[in-house]
Amino acid sequence: MKKKDFFIGVFATLVIQILIFFIIFINAWNIVCFNKEINTDVAVLEGWMCDHSIKEAADYIIKNNIKTVFISGNHINKQKKFFPKDNYAQLGEILLKNELKGYICEIIPVPVNSILDRTLNSAREVIKYIKENEKEIYDIIILTEENHSRRTFLSYKKVSHGINVGIHPLSDGVLNKDNWKDSSDGIKRLLTETIALFYNSIRRKI
């Protein structure tokens, strides 16, 4: 092969890779975000979310007359002394009850003992709890932050064992589809979530 042809090939490959990265970059929000509304009175809330997302989840629960809420959450692994509970499931329960402002529904925390693959293992634990304790539940809707919604949906879908899964993305009050590119935090979070989504897909974890 001539040197000229070799360098043309390398250059073409580099251009293609840059184009692929650019396409992924500008579409990152649409890649990681997903919405699938279903008719159900059972919700699953991820307890690690910020206060704004918890409040938005409470509004959704009240508006849609949700009767049962499962709250997933791993152990809190930093600054534990400042939290009344040692896992996000129970902490999320406290925060949600405060935002529901008297609205009555059954709230069931499901603590998760996992460091790796936290989203997938949270899904496993919630579905396992439902199958073992709540025999009449056939549909659930997941409440999680927008930029985490597609991976969460696919994780629950992977382990659903026949339960119909929907998902409702929540705003964190900071990032959205229009402004995520304007800050290093937004770029980092979206690219991290995109990489995690592709990695888990390749590994067939979702």
Side-chain angles (χ1 to χ4, degrees):
M1 179 185 293
K2 295 180 180 180
K3 283 187 178 182
K4 181 179 179 181
D5 294 335
F6 172 78
F7 285 115
I8 290 175
V10 171
F11 178 76
T13 302
L14 182 61
V15 169
I16 292 172
Q17 289 176 338
I18 292 173
L19 286 174
I20 291 173
F21 176 81
F22 180 74
I23 291 171
I24 292 174
F25 179 78
I26 63 175
N27 289 287
W29 188 269
N30 293 327
I31 291 172
V32 302
C33 298
F34 184 69
N35 183 27
K36 181 188 177 184
E37 302 291 343
I38 62 172
N39 184 24
T40 181
D41 61 0
V42 180
V44 177
L45 175 71
E46 295 199 305
W48 55 263
M49 294 187 297
C50 68
D51 292 353
H52 186 279
S53 298
I54 297 289
K55 184 181 186 308
E56 196 169 291
D59 293 340
Y60 177 92
I61 289 166
I62 296 169
K63 180 180 178 181
N64 291 276
N65 199 29
I66 299 295
K67 300 299 184 186
T68 303
V69 182
F70 297 95
I71 304 181
S72 68
N74 293 275
H75 284 295
I76 298 171
N77 58 11
K78 59 182 178 179
Q79 299 180 337
K80 294 181 180 180
K81 63 182 179 181
F82 296 108
F83 296 96
K85 299 294 181 180
D86 66 354
N87 65 75
Y88 285 109
Q90 293 174 312
L91 179 61
E93 178 185 15
I94 294 172
L95 296 174
L96 180 62
K97 284 181 176 178
N98 182 60
E99 294 295 345
L100 287 174
K101 303 186 185 306
Y103 177 83
I104 303 300
C105 64
E106 183 181 21
I107 299 177
I108 303 171
V110 184
V112 180
N113 296 316
S114 176
I115 298 175
L116 301 176
D117 294 328
R118 288 171 300 205
T119 301
L120 182 59
N121 286 321
S122 293
R124 285 196 180 107
E125 289 299 318
V126 171
I127 297 299
K128 178 182 177 183
Y129 185 96
I130 291 173
K131 287 294 184 179
E132 291 179 350
N133 300 279
E134 307 285 343
K135 303 301 182 182
E136 301 301 318
I137 293 178
Y138 305 103
D139 307 273
I140 59 173
I141 190 155
I142 317 301
L143 305 176
T144 191
E145 291 184 359
E146 285 180 289
N147 56 68
H148 189 57
S149 55
R150 187 178 295 274
R151 184 156 62 96
T152 303
F153 172 78
L154 293 174
S155 296
Y156 274 86
K157 195 74 174 174
K158 176 80 172 179
V159 300
S160 62
H161 296 291
I163 295 176
N164 182 33
V165 178
I167 192 156
H168 178 77
L170 304 166
S171 168
D172 66 359
V174 179
L175 296 181
N176 57 54
K177 64 180 180 180
D178 297 318
N179 73 3
W180 71 269
K181 296 187 290 295
D182 298 337
S183 68
S184 59
D185 182 59
I187 292 174
K188 181 177 70 175
R189 286 169 63 182
L190 265 292
L191 291 183
T192 298
E193 191 64 36
T194 302
I195 291 169
L197 180 63
F198 279 105
Y199 172 79
N200 285 310
S201 298
I202 292 171
R203 294 293 300 274
R204 296 185 179 180
K205 292 184 177 183
I206 56 177

